[in-house]
């Protein structure tokens, strides 16, 4: 038998954390607004999800859109890092780019410093900003010197399965940093990505929630063009269970 990859599930609620826990996930990444790519959750939400028992990695992202932040946004996210850790996060998921597509090492170092200011060890993950960088593999090379724990990446491709070759390069180039494959992940993709060097896999395992509309629907912002689309995502326990089975099979077969 061989060490199996860690299974991380992106969740947005205590119910999602329970679905992940009860179906075999090793940890969760908590965010708000998964339909926007994920934003920083509230302190109360972090506390509620931490009570469900799994290690909680919290996404710190102050707005949707690109990953080029100004000084005020970086200061806000540093404060959010300290807040979510104080609320029970076991780690934070951060990232920032410069206008020319390089890793903003100054901003990332500041956010990492905020995470390490707590009186306990925390994980620090670079999020999928790496996939919008000008050179994802070159960006991964920088991560050990910044003291990051892991990187979540699709290899710079629309999905992790399409970015398999780049993920393999990252795993070889970023010694000491856990490369976690994620982005459009399906359980069936797990064996090939682990063979390429991914030490962990990340799935949103999401399903669109059924609207609970009571009155008539009117559009509010960019949520959707209809009541059916204007909803949120929830965690699908069946997808979590299927992913868990996939990683256990890898352990049993020695990764083949």
């Amino acid at each position: 038998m061989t060490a199996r990859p860690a299974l991380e599930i992106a969740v947005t609620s205590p119910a999602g954390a329970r679905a992940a826990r009860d179906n075999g996930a090793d940890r969760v990444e908590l965010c708000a607004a998964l339909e926007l790519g994920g934003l920083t959750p509230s302190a109360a939400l972090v506390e509620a999800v931490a009570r469900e028992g799994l290690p909680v990695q919290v996404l710190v992202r102050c707005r949707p859109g690109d990953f080029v932040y100004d000084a005020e946004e970086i200061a806000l996210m540093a404060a959010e890092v300290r807040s979510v850790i104080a609320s029970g996060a076991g780690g934070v998921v951060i990232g920032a780019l410069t206008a020319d597509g390089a890793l903003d090492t100054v901003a990332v170092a500041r956010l990492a410093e905020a995470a390490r200011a707590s009186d306990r060890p925390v994980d620090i993950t670079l999020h999928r900003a790496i996939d919008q960088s000008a050179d994802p593999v070159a960006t991964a090379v920088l991560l050990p010197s910044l003291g990051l724990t892991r990187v979540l990446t699709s290899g710079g491709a629309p999905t992790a399965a399409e970015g398999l070759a780049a993920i393999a390069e990252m795993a070889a180039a970023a010694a000491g940093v856990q490369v976690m494959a994620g982005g459009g992940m399906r359980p069936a993709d797990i064996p090939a990505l682990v063979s390429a060097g991914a030490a962990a896999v990340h799935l949103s395992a999401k399903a669109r929630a059924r609207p609970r509309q009571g009155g008539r629907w009117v559009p509010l912002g960019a949520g959707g063009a209809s009541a059916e689309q204007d909803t949120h995502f929830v965690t699908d326990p069946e997808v979590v269970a299927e992913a868990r089975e996939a990683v256990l099979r890898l352990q049993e077969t020695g990764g083949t």
Side-chain angles (χ1 to χ4, degrees):
M1 296 177 72
T2 188
R4 65 170 179 81
L7 174 61
E8 179 178 284
I9 302 296
V11 303
T12 61
S13 68
R18 290 192 295 274
R21 179 197 66 202
D22 295 348
N23 289 279
D26 296 298
R27 61 178 179 254
V28 296
E29 182 199 51
L30 174 65
C31 67
L34 187 58
E35 58 275 10
L36 298 177
L39 299 174
T40 309
S42 70
L45 180 53
V46 177
E47 291 171 1
V49 168
R51 286 195 292 269
E52 298 300 332
L54 281 181
V56 182
Q57 309 295 307
V58 175
L59 177 67
V60 175
R61 183 183 180 215
C62 64
R63 58 161 173 79
D66 62 57
F67 299 106
V68 181
Y69 299 108
D70 62 28
E72 185 174 43
E73 291 171 324
I74 294 296
L76 173 60
M77 288 191 290
E80 289 179 329
V81 165
R82 292 188 289 269
S83 173
V84 300
I85 290 174
S87 299
V92 291
V93 185
I94 60 170
L97 300 176
T98 64
D100 61 358
L103 185 69
D104 188 338
T105 55
V106 173
V108 170
R110 181 173 177 185
L111 297 175
E113 181 182 7
R116 297 189 189 104
S118 67
D119 59 358
R120 58 185 173 82
V122 294
D123 292 342
I124 305 173
T125 300
L126 179 69
H127 58 46
R128 292 192 60 204
I130 192 170
D131 295 323
Q132 291 192 5
S133 67
D135 187 335
V137 176
T139 298
V141 171
L142 302 173
L143 303 186
S145 65
L146 292 167
L148 270 64
T149 308
R150 69 179 62 89
V151 56
L152 170 61
T153 181
S154 65
T159 68
E162 295 172 89
L164 187 146
I167 288 171
E169 290 185 62
M170 290 181 188
V177 173
Q178 183 186 75
V179 175
M180 178 166 58
M185 280 281 294
R186 301 171 302 167
D189 299 326
I190 291 173
L193 288 159
V194 172
S195 294
V201 292
H202 169 105
L203 292 85
S204 59
K206 64 181 182 287
R208 192 173 287 277
R210 178 173 297 181
R212 302 174 185 172
Q213 186 98 3
R216 68 188 184 94
W217 178 84
V218 294
L220 301 173
S226 67
E228 290 70 28
Q229 293 179 8
D230 191 4
T231 183
H232 61 285
F233 292 120
V234 295
T235 304
D236 186 334
E238 294 184 3
V239 176
V240 180
E242 187 179 351
R244 175 69 175 189
E245 290 176 9
V247 297
L248 288 177
R249 282 197 299 271
L250 286 175
Q251 185 181 28
E252 293 167 357
T253 61
T256 58

